[in-house]
Amino acid sequence: MQTFGWPEAYFILRAASWTIALTAIAFVIGGLFGGVLAIMRLSRLKLLRRFAAGYILVIQSIPVLMVLFMSYYGLSAVGIELPPFLAASASLAIYVSAYLAEIWRGSIESVPRQQWEASASLALTRGQQYRYIILPQAARISLPPTVGFLVQLVKNTSIVQVVGFVDLMRAGMLVNNATYQAFQIFTLVGAIYFAICFPLSRLSRHLEKVMNASRSH
C-alpha cells in the first residue's frame, strides 16, 4: 500500500488544473450559446421564442448527469465515440447555456422600459438598441448572478468522473484507492475546491452589494 505524500498531492493538484480548464471551456462555450438563447427568448419572432423556451425548459428539467450520460454513452451507442473530456465539456456547456440564458434574459428585462423607448426615439435599430443601450446595462446587472452560477459550475464538474475523466474529485478517489488515507486526501480535495470557489463567492456578494448600492442612489 502506498503512503500519501508529495507525488500523490501533486497528482491531485494537476487534476485541479483540469477542473479549472473544464469549467472555463464549458462557461465560455455555454455562455456564447446562452447569450444567443437569451436574445431568442426576447425575439419578436414567436418561433424563436418558443424554440429557446423549449430548449431551456428541457435542459433545466433533467439532471446534468443525464446530459453527460447521453453525450458519452448515448452517442457511443449509435457509433459516435467522444473522448471523455469532449463529452464532459459539451455536456456542461449545454447545461451552462440553459441557465445563463435565463439569467441574462432576466437581466435584459430588468433594464427600465424607458431605456428602450428613449433608444427607439433616436431611430436606433433593434440591433443598435441592444449593442449600445440595453446590453451594457444588462451586463452590469447580470454580473452577480453570473459569478454565483460559476461557483455552482465548478462544483458540478465533479460529476464528470463517471465517464472516466480525471478531474479533481476523480484524482482524489484514485489516490484514496491506492493509499487508503481518505481523511488527508479529501481534506486536500475540499481545500482546493474551497480555494477556487470562496473567492468567486465573495466576488459575487461584493458585486451584489455594489449593484444594490448603485440602485439605491
Side-chain angles (χ1 to χ4, degrees), residues 12 168-169 184-197:
I12 292 173
L168 177 55
M169 182 61 72
Q184 297 95 314
I185 292 165
F186 289 108
T187 296
L188 175 60
V189 170
I192 295 173
Y193 273 117
F194 180 82
I196 297 171
C197 294

Side-chain angles (χ1 to χ4, degrees), residues 108-130:
I108 292 171
E109 291 184 332
S110 296
V111 175
R113 193 66 194 171
Q114 293 87 339
Q115 297 293 323
W116 288 97
E117 295 168 354
S119 57
S121 69
L122 296 174
L124 297 180
T125 65
R126 187 76 168 181
Q128 290 173 328
Q129 286 179 305
Y130 272 117

